[in-house]
Amino acid sequence: MKLTILGCYAATPRTLTNPTSQVLEIRNRMFLIDCAEGTQVQLRKNKLKFSKINHIFISHLHGDHFYGLIGLLSTFMLFNRQTDLHVYGPKGIKEIILLQLRLSESFTGYNLYFHELTSKESEVIFEDEKVIVKTIPLKHRVYTNGFLFQEKPKERKLNVEAVEHYNIDTVYYRKIKYGGDMTLEDGTVIPNAELTFDPEPVKTYAYCSDTMYDESIVPLIQNADVLYHEATFLESEADKAAKTMHSTAKEAATIAKLAKVKQLLLGHYSTRYSSIELFRAEAETVFPNVLLADDGAVFDFD
Amino acid sequence: MKLTILGCYAATPRTLTNPTSQVLEIRNRMFLIDCAEGTQVQLRKNKLKFSKINHIFISHLHGDHFYGLIGLLSTFMLFNRQTDLHVYGPKGIKEIILLQLRLSESFTGYNLYFHELTSKESEVIFEDEKVIVKTIPLKHRVYTNGFLFQEKPKERKLNVEAVEHYNIDTVYYRKIKYGGDMTLEDGTVIPNAELTFDPEPVKTYAYCSDTMYDESIVPLIQNADVLYHEATFLESEADKAAKTMHSTAKEAATIAKLAKVKQLLLGHYSTRYSSIELFRAEAETVFPNVLLADDGAVFDFD
């Protein structure tokens, strides 16, 4: 599980900082999460292949989270993309995109599917054989969802010495990796535990931006390997956080502690502060394992 | 008259090149012409004051000319702008912007006026006491206008020696600068020509992007000081230019020659070419005075 931060600052794009967008690579899938203005250039700078993105998740319809979407979709057209593309986001996103394509008399050569979200309860919005994605309803000024990315259980690891010892044919390996026992020709049953090792543990990534402090998300993100939680302000600006329905670093850390996540990743910083290290320092007073998102940062969580 | 090129490449924003946007400063007015994705960052990089922009001209609704507009308007909101803002562009631009503001539940604290264009004839779209702006109808795949920025005649320059010689009171200076003769107390009439020098000549800037080769624009841009004309392709790709309704460098130069402009400024280059100098070389076979736009370039035409 690898996360690349394309942008992690609040509000407006600036010369050296970018608003929110990140790429999660998990089990060979590449998910784009939010897509602020400039995201396509950030993808290029970080040498991420546009063509590997098939699913884009938009948390909410504030510009610093989606103004780059129309440009990215247009670039896919120019690149003559053929593969299906899925966009998950609040109701209204389809109208915004299609209006602009219609007025520019453009047609996508690829199928563009919109999955418009309206539910205020968590729901599964993507699932294949390896990964499942659920919404995390958040509390912000407009309808907003976070996203929970969960690996499905991996196949068990073959104990090569054991299978060779029992002279098991390779055609049975797949069955064994999926937990099956093995019956030998003489009728002896070899239990799976003797033929395999436990698989690598599955990973979970919870993305929560933008939101006010909200303990109701804790059950959804319980024990996540990584929680990205917005921290737009420090406690010294707690009044501004409350007014704008954002969180402070301390509040983000409190959620991390309550949810017993392994690591907290902070982002969506207001640019008013002299150093993002201030966010880490404040969060660490509550929760020990704090990482800082920064534009271009790559986190390998394997 | 000063022109800053924020972006001058066709199609998609890349790591080192930006799609179309430029700032024309003329008689203390600052006009933004086209506004591709990334324009607000380019404004910052070029240290141009956002707050001085009161008029934005959008040539057409292809993404590489206007996807940055919604972000810039949003940033004006964040900056708590109060001054009126005027946007001139094809019909549909108002719906695109207002839909996004509505869905993000945002309200501009400033008055945002849309001047939607539909005419296929040249028309005056802006006029004040110093500058007049007319459309230049262009031929492209969608409804497109270029823009002609013309200075109005300037006031004459006072001949300080002469007015002092005749002991003329300063209250008459304004009348004299506007061309009036002066009657002295003894009844003698001093003709204006004796009291003033000719004013600086007025400047004209013609912006033509995007368009196929079209001689019908020649009368509109006749004798312009500077003609910016798109040159997406070289003659070696003349078939592509025709198919996509763009121009070659040679075609741009032919228009410049027919219109007897003083200087031709090329831009909107396809990124397929190894050097933009190839565009200059091709254009110079037809017209001698060729300048090359490039991102961040500043041209002082005074």
Side-chain angles (χ1 to χ4, degrees), chain B residues 88-106:
Chain B
Y88 309 80
K91 188 164 173 53
I93 197 165
K94 181 176 178 178
E95 190 185 353
I96 290 173
I97 298 301
L98 294 192
L99 174 66
Q100 294 183 80
L101 294 178
R102 196 163 58 241
L103 284 167
S104 68
E105 297 178 22
S106 302

Side-chain angles (χ1 to χ4, degrees), chain A residues 2 11 25 31 51 61 72 85 108 115 131 148 156 195 211 217 233 241 247 251 280-281 287 290 298 300 302:
Chain A
K2 187 176 148 192
E25 290 169 271
F31 297 117
S51 60
L61 296 182
L72 182 60
L85 185 73
T108 61
H115 304 266
V131 178
L148 185 70
R156 300 183 62 78
L195 302 172
T211 186
I217 67 171
F233 297 104
S247 302
E251 288 173 333
R280 193 205 303 264
F287 182 82
V290 179
V298 179
D300 196 332
D302 287 328

